[in-house]
Amino acid sequence: MFKPQLLRVTRSIPQVSYRLVRLSFSQHICAYHTTRHYHLTMSAPKRQKSSKDVPYELIYWPSVPGRGEHIRLALEEAGATYTDTAHVEKGAEQVIALISQDSVGDDLNPPPLAPPILRHGDLVISQTSNILLYLGPRLGLVPSEDDEDHPDALYKINALVLTALDGLSNEVHDTHHPIATSLYYEDQKEEAKQAAKIFVDTRLPKFLGYFERVLQGKASGDGPWLYGGQLTYADLVLIQCIDGTKFAFRKAMSAAEKSGKYIHVFQLYDAVKERPRIQEYLASKRRQDYSMGIYRYYEELDFGPEGRD
């Protein structure tokens, strides 16, 4: 069991809720029907019962970093107090209870389909990018709302996150399960070889090249960061994707780093890993080893630029 750190930075996003108001009119005698108009009217914001002092609860499978690792890195970098079912007894049972086919959610929350899941007071949300969209402002991992030099920063950062997860997480997973996740790897081994070769030859350079262009752009600002001249949760997501891809495709990533084509990408990778809280976390037992999750190593899929040799 790990000892969570104290939450140092908390920032709230103003919440706006809407209620649907139905306006009924008298029945038109000539048409024998009732006309109804629906108007969206803004109601007073309804706050979650949770306060900044309530610990975050990360609900994810034990034994693999998986998609939950993106949430952990954000919480660790911020020094937030949180619990993690990956490190508690019978943690997997908590995950199963929430995603079971018998689960219908509660009065405030629909049931999540799959982890990662975040519980914060009465709030229960899922989907990696959605959780980070919630956490980012609260943990100080996006420019502040009153930062006039970086308007609507949250949405730009979210776009970077979605791109990283698409190309360097989801596509990496699909190389070893190109037909179906319900099949064993051994049942699609030949197809996986083809998918891995295509990923290394075309998709990996595409996404590394994209983030290299982002880091060279003016919007990235000063320093090694993706946006606004400061560390954001997009940087944390990207370095986790890079780290996992380095594990799965060792030859290709080694060649990419040595090529000099993506120098800013790997400088960002090093800069994040050197941050004190991230460095401490990566060296701790809270950091789980890659195994049979998204990022897997199969020698027969470890293609370099010139193939497997």
Side-chain angles (χ1 to χ4, degrees), residues 206-220:
K206 178 183 180 70
F207 283 96
L208 291 178
Y210 168 72
F211 283 107
E212 181 68 17
R213 289 189 288 114
V214 170
L215 289 163
Q216 292 178 13
K218 291 183 179 180
S220 70

Side-chain angles (χ1 to χ4, degrees), residues 204-272:
L204 181 59
K206 178 183 180 70
F207 283 96
L208 291 178
Y210 168 72
F211 283 107
E212 181 68 17
R213 289 189 288 114
V214 170
L215 289 163
Q216 292 178 13
K218 291 183 179 180
S220 70
D222 297 330
W225 316 118
L226 285 169
Y227 182 77
Q230 68 179 76
L231 177 112
T232 69
Y233 69 84
D235 299 303
L236 301 173
V237 168
L238 180 58
I239 73 106
Q240 173 58 21
C241 289
I242 295 293
D243 196 69
T245 306
K246 283 167 68 76
F247 175 81
F249 293 101
R250 301 171 188 186
K251 293 177 182 177
M253 289 297 283
S254 176
E257 188 168 6
K258 292 176 182 177
S259 73
K261 295 179 181 178
Y262 317 109
I263 185 169
H264 294 90
V265 171
F266 290 101
Q267 284 177 347
L268 169 63
Y269 176 75
D270 291 337
V272 173

